[in-house]
Amino acid sequence: MKLSTTDFGGNGRPFLLLHGLGGDRSAWETLAPQLNGHAVAVDLRGHGESPDGGWDWEAVLDDLDETAVHLELDEPVVVGHSLGGVLTGMWALRHPECPAVISLDGHRSATTHPANYAGLPAQEVAEGLAKLNAIFDAQLETITRPSHEILSALRTSPELLDALPVFAKVISPFLLVLATRNLPVPPDLVPLFDAHRAGLRRDMPENVQVREIDATHGMVSEQPAELAELINHFVSSRFNA
């Protein structure tokens, strides 16, 4: 599948930028020019101006492989936000030679398995998940792209529910940038989101380097300069080690 792309230019090592669920390549317009290299962003299948297609992780990775080859991105650093951050781990498993992997708050769905929430009684987790799933159910009725087929497939995907088992297998240098603030949510859901973050801190694989940032899940638009600095430092430290 031929993906729509934006080449932000730049010289040096290539960067492949992957947006989050429901987003598109325009998400990187502020951050990408601040990267120390040649940055290219894509619209994933079913998003932006890329064609529609069923969501199969291997097929999505095939799309990215074809794009990298077509654009002559040789062993790119892969940076992804949210869904794109989950994909970075899968890319690195397929490409163990990947020089660096950066996930920007891409790790577990907000409605992950109840055991993945830390420090909150099980009954409160169950009640919070019921409320959050009801909100997501209502939102599904208003979204036209990506398709309901893609959204439904991703919502129950084991990899999106919890990408940490995938991340644990990655041998490439791996940085995960974790948001420390919640998106605007009803007050009664704040404890659930805090418990979600606590579970991530508890369960993160040892091979993943974690940096926290004063931002919400929308960090790419909120803190592009700080993120670019974190990414550039991480990548340069790998090459200069």
Side-chain angles (χ1 to χ4, degrees), residues 70-202:
H70 176 70
L71 297 178
E72 298 182 350
L73 303 178
D74 184 30
E75 295 187 8
V77 172
V78 182
V79 182
H81 172 239
S82 193
L83 170 63
V86 173
L87 275 166
T88 64
M90 297 181 182
W91 171 277
L93 289 185
R94 182 182 277 205
H95 298 278
E97 73 284 357
C98 182
V101 181
I102 298 98
S103 173
L104 307 178
D105 221 34
H107 34 61
R108 286 171 170 166
S109 166
T111 53
T112 183
H113 307 294
N116 292 335
Y117 300 85
L120 194 65
Q123 182 61 31
E124 292 186 40
V125 171
E127 292 171 355
L129 284 173
K131 293 175 182 177
L132 190 56
N133 275 308
I135 291 172
F136 288 161
D137 287 341
Q139 289 177 340
L140 280 176
E141 299 304 315
T142 66
I143 297 172
T144 58
R145 189 164 177 81
S147 67
H148 284 197
E149 178 186 5
I150 288 178
L151 290 171
S152 297
L154 284 170
R155 194 169 176 188
T156 58
S157 167
E159 295 84 358
L160 197 64
L161 286 171
D162 186 5
L164 269 57
V166 172
F167 293 174
K169 300 175 184 176
V170 171
I171 63 173
S172 301
F174 199 146
L175 172 66
L176 188 141
V177 182
L178 181 64
T180 60
R181 291 192 281 115
N182 297 324
L183 288 165
V185 294
D188 58 349
L189 287 179
V190 169
L192 183 74
F193 279 79
D194 289 344
H196 182 276
R197 189 177 300 107
L200 287 165
R201 290 171 174 146
R202 177 194 66 191

Side-chain angles (χ1 to χ4, degrees), residues 1 3 43-47 50-56 59-60 63 150:
M1 178 180 292
L3 301 180
D43 284 341
L44 300 172
R45 62 167 53 199
H47 291 74
S50 286
D52 288 316
W55 193 271
D56 173 83
V60 172
D63 295 343
I150 288 178

Side-chain angles (χ1 to χ4, degrees), residues 209-232:
Q209 182 175 332
V210 179
R211 290 290 180 269
E212 300 193 358
I213 188 172
D214 182 24
T216 73
H217 188 63
M219 61 174 66
V220 173
S221 61
E222 295 170 1
Q223 299 280 16
E226 185 173 348
L227 284 176
E229 183 178 357
L230 283 171
I231 294 166
N232 287 331

